[in-house]
Amino acid sequence: MGFNNSEEVSKYIGGIFESAFDDPEIGQKLVDTGLVVAFDFSDPDAVVVVDMPNKVVSSGQAGGPSPSATMTMTADIGNAYWQGKVNLPLAMAKKKVKVDGNVASLLKLAPLGKKLYGSYIQRLKEDGREDLIV
């Protein structure tokens, strides 16, 4: 079973960045990247835009900052990634994840992301969404 709707995608995947900005070890490193990353999900359709310099997570409405990179994938792939179950370079090679824009800077984010896997899984458990755990 996957996410029920786009709001859940935004809640969980967007929420991981909101938590990261509050983390004393990771938050400033994300800000310092200067990146604005859009995550364009399908099944269900959802867009999550993370404006790292301004610590803002939004649903990608018009009028926001232009992303320096966009990652396109299914919501299931995004969910699995935040649990440490997706190798990003391999997923890109297999076209499970499509990246437009600054690929090199996105790959630099991967080590920071690894520190968030545990809190992502914990949030799923706390919300009774063990069905999303891969």
Side-chain angles (χ1 to χ4, degrees):
M1 182 177 195
F3 292 109
N4 293 320
N5 52 47
S6 59
E7 288 78 19
E8 278 193 348
V9 176
S10 296
K11 174 183 177 180
Y12 291 108
I13 296 179
I16 196 68
F17 285 97
E18 291 167 350
S19 298
F21 288 136
D22 293 335
D23 184 287
E25 181 185 354
I26 301 169
Q28 190 58 47
K29 291 178 183 177
L30 290 175
V31 170
D32 291 345
T33 67
L35 292 174
V36 176
V37 181
F39 297 90
D40 188 355
F41 298 104
S42 58
D43 303 319
D45 292 345
V47 176
V48 175
V49 177
V50 183
D51 177 353
M52 296 187 198
N54 295 303
K55 298 183 179 182
V56 174
V57 180
S58 68
S59 58
Q61 299 95 345
S66 296
S68 44
T70 300
M71 297 181 72
T72 305
M73 68 194 84
T74 66
D76 285 346
I77 294 286
N79 177 52
Y81 174 78
W82 286 108
Q83 296 179 55
K85 304 295 183 182
V86 174
N87 176 299
L88 187 56
L90 185 59
M92 290 166 61
K94 290 184 172 186
K95 307 221 185 294
K96 291 183 177 185
V97 175
K98 181 182 172 206
V99 179
D100 293 315
N102 193 337
V103 176
S105 59
L106 283 177
L107 292 174
K108 289 179 189 175
L109 285 177
L112 295 176
K114 289 178 183 178
K115 297 177 182 187
L116 300 172
Y117 298 161
S119 60
Y120 180 80
I121 293 168
Q122 186 60 37
R123 185 166 185 190
L124 293 175
K125 288 178 180 178
E126 287 171 0
D127 286 356
R129 292 304 311 265
E130 284 88 355
D131 60 300
L132 290 173
I133 296 175
V134 179

